[in-house]
């Protein structure tokens, strides 16, 4: 048996909504609905964002690895979008500028908005306005959007490693990042 285990799009969407709500709850419980907490990341005072997001990445990587090893998930059926180098670099820059200006990323802005924070509501409104502007301006930006295609790129392909070795490398990177984050935070508190 392989995923998707649920018949029909409605059931799949309901499961996706439940998973999204659970992830949002985790972000809120970690305090990531606060722009101040996210900004503290950039000053090296509070690296909760790095720890939470790296934990999510490691959990997903290990989950996908073990589900595929146990025959529950068919990796060939997992959609991986194509890489377009230039438009994705531009999108990353726009994302970074928006995050610095708003103090929140798309996920944490939804968490902040759901918690009733006005800054979260403002960022979500700005994000939706950006989506509308992009859709209306798409004919103008379509040449950039479709430029520099590089096909489907994955870390195992780029690193010339097996999938298991790549997951082990990601876990090792996460453990190193967690240790470094603890030291940086201790130094910022004057304990290190």
């Amino acid at each position: 048996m392989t995923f998707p285990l649920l018949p029909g799009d409605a059931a799949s969407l309901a499961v996706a909504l439940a998973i999204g709500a659970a992830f949002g709850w985790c972000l809120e419980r970690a305090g990531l609905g606060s722009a101040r907490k996210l900004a503290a990341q950039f000053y090296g005072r509070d690296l909760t964002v790095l720890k939470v997001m790296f934990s999510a990445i490691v959990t997903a990587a290990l989950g996908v690895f073990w589900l595929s090893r146990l025959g529950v998930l068919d990796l060939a059926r997992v959609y991986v979008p194509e890489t377009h180098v230039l438009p994705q670099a531009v999108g990353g820059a726009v994302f970074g500028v928006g995050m610095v200006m708003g103090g929140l990323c798309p996920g944490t802005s939804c968490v902040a908005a759901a918690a009733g924070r006005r800054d979260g509501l403002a960022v979500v409104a700005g994000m939706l306005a950006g989506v509308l502007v992009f859709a209306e301006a798409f004919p103008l930006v379509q040449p950039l959007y479709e430029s520099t295609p590089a096909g489907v790129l994955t870390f195992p392909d780029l690193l010339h490693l097996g999938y298991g070795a790549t997951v082990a490398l990601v876990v090792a990177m996460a453990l190193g990042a967690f240790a470094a984050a603890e030291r940086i935070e201790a130094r910022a508190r004057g304990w290190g």
Side-chain angles (χ1 to χ4, degrees):
M1 178 182 300
T2 59
F3 279 115
L5 300 175
L6 302 170
D9 291 340
S12 296
L13 287 175
V15 169
L17 179 63
I19 291 171
F23 185 62
W25 182 84
C26 291
L27 290 178
E28 174 60 21
R29 295 302 301 161
L32 300 186
S34 166
R36 291 175 190 262
K37 193 161 189 88
L38 269 70
Q41 168 87 16
F42 299 112
Y43 296 104
R45 293 192 303 257
D46 184 342
L47 299 176
T48 301
V49 175
L50 179 136
K51 291 185 267 187
V52 168
M53 297 313 287
F54 230 144
S55 296
I57 291 168
V58 167
T59 300
L62 288 171
V64 168
F65 173 76
W66 284 110
L67 288 173
S68 67
R69 293 286 291 208
L70 296 171
V72 177
L73 176 67
D74 182 2
L75 282 179
R77 296 182 63 192
V78 175
Y79 174 71
V80 179
E82 288 187 36
T83 298
H84 291 258
V85 178
L86 182 60
Q88 289 175 343
V90 170
V94 170
F95 178 93
V97 168
M99 187 167 175
V100 168
M101 289 175 60
L104 297 163
C105 73
T108 55
S109 66
C110 290
V111 169
R117 293 192 181 96
R118 285 181 291 183
D119 58 346
L121 292 168
V123 171
V124 168
M127 192 169 52
L128 293 175
V131 168
L132 289 174
V133 169
F134 178 78
E136 288 299 320
F138 187 74
L140 297 173
V141 298
Q142 188 171 6
L144 171 65
Y145 184 84
E146 296 173 346
S147 68
T148 59
V152 174
L153 299 179
T154 63
F155 279 122
D157 293 337
L158 290 172
L159 300 174
H160 303 289
L161 293 174
Y163 188 72
T166 304
V167 171
L169 180 63
V170 169
V171 170
M173 288 171 48
L175 293 174
F178 295 153
E182 291 296 321
R183 294 183 74 168
I184 292 169
E185 288 176 334
R187 188 177 313 141
R189 289 188 297 261
W191 298 347

